[in-house]
Amino acid sequence: MKKKVALPIIITGSVVAALLLCVLILSLITVNPLKTVIGDYSEVTVYLTGENARQPNTEESRKAIKEGVDTTKFSVMHAILEGRFAYGAKFKTEKDEDGKQQKVMKSGLELRVMSNETKNYMLKFSYDSLRTIKVQGEEVSFDNAYVVVYDTNGEIEKIEIMPYEYGKVMGNPTDEDYAYYEMPVIEIWSTTSGLYNVLNDYAALIK
């Protein structure tokens, strides 16, 4: 006569199986906030340390950087394990003198003289036409965007994106335009170790 399996064991086994299935599914679902924000760009410029800026000049180097951007994706399970439960684009904020949260803005002049003076890399994505995205319910339009890239050591960390319209910054704007034009800094969660390594290899090739 077969011994009956105790009900608690059956229930425990079912719960464990369900949890394992849930973990598997969440591990297979990936998101890429950086790619979502930058979309399909026409050109990318690489800023090394200091003020050096170069466009990838071979098909191989352009492909490598594109693939580097693809590596910034991460699984939903990875995000949950690091306590990242919302990974859509958000405006970077800081407290003003009254203690209220305000958007961090970049002026036209700041954007015009942007350079990379850190040990990290910076990319500038350019577009053939104006790109519009929604950030926290607000529309943001741009045809260029700076992205600071550092080694996140495989973890999901915040990175900054600074979008702007070329004609309002780099064209022939008046002094008054400089004084009033500004754009918000956008923050996203990303894991940029793979992209950082690609840029390391690229920097070594062109030195």
Side-chain angles (χ1 to χ4, degrees):
M1 183 176 179
K2 290 184 179 179
K3 189 176 180 180
K4 290 185 177 180
V5 179
L7 184 59
I9 295 176
I10 295 174
I11 294 173
T12 301
S14 298
V15 170
V16 170
L19 287 173
L20 289 174
L21 180 60
C22 184
V23 168
L24 176 61
I25 292 172
L26 292 176
S27 297
L28 293 174
I29 299 172
T30 60
V31 291
N32 194 328
L34 176 59
K35 201 169 180 179
T36 298
V37 172
I38 64 171
D40 295 323
Y41 53 90
S42 56
E43 270 181 11
V44 61
T45 305
V46 180
Y47 287 72
L48 307 176
T49 55
E51 297 185 5
N52 296 327
R54 295 173 182 260
Q55 285 187 8
N57 54 10
T58 67
E59 185 177 344
E60 185 179 354
S61 59
R62 287 192 295 270
K63 182 181 177 183
I65 291 173
K66 184 176 184 301
E67 290 176 350
V69 171
D70 289 340
T71 68
T72 62
K73 66 182 179 182
F74 52 87
S75 72
V76 173
M77 191 69 235
H78 184 180
I80 291 172
L81 290 174
E82 292 194 19
R84 317 302 190 202
F85 301 107
Y87 20 80
K90 291 186 176 182
F91 294 115
K92 182 179 181 179
T93 60
E94 62 182 10
K95 287 184 179 180
D96 62 15
E97 55 187 20
D98 296 322
K100 295 181 179 179
Q101 292 288 345
Q102 300 289 339
K103 291 178 188 173
V104 174
M105 308 295 287
K106 288 285 185 183
S107 70
L109 181 57
E110 287 176 304
L111 291 163
R112 185 182 179 94
V113 299
M114 280 288 291
S115 64
N116 184 28
E117 298 175 357
T118 71
K119 65 180 180 180
N120 303 315
Y121 296 106
M122 186 167 71
L123 298 176
K124 183 179 74 173
F125 295 96
S126 303
Y127 305 81
D128 290 330
S129 59
L130 211 58
R131 174 171 173 75
T132 300
I133 62 171
K134 274 201 170 182
V135 180
Q136 294 180 276
E138 296 182 30
E139 288 192 346
V140 178
S141 296
F142 56 95
D143 52 21
N144 281 269
Y146 291 110
V147 178
V148 178
V149 179
Y150 63 97
D151 187 359
T152 59
N153 295 312
E155 298 181 354
I156 302 169
E157 301 289 348
K158 282 183 180 178
I159 64 170
E160 294 182 0
I161 300 174
M162 291 155 280
Y164 66 94
E165 291 184 46
Y166 181 89
K168 294 181 180 179
V169 172
M170 301 294 187
N172 295 301
T174 65
D175 290 339
E176 186 176 342
D177 288 329
Y178 280 133
Y180 290 100
Y181 181 75
E182 58 181 11
M183 286 291 283
V185 177
I186 296 169
E187 286 185 328
I188 59 167
W189 292 107
S190 188
T191 174
T192 55
S193 296
L195 177 57
Y196 184 85
N197 290 335
V198 166
L199 293 172
N200 266 340
D201 293 340
Y202 175 72
L205 284 174
I206 63 175
K207 283 181 178 178

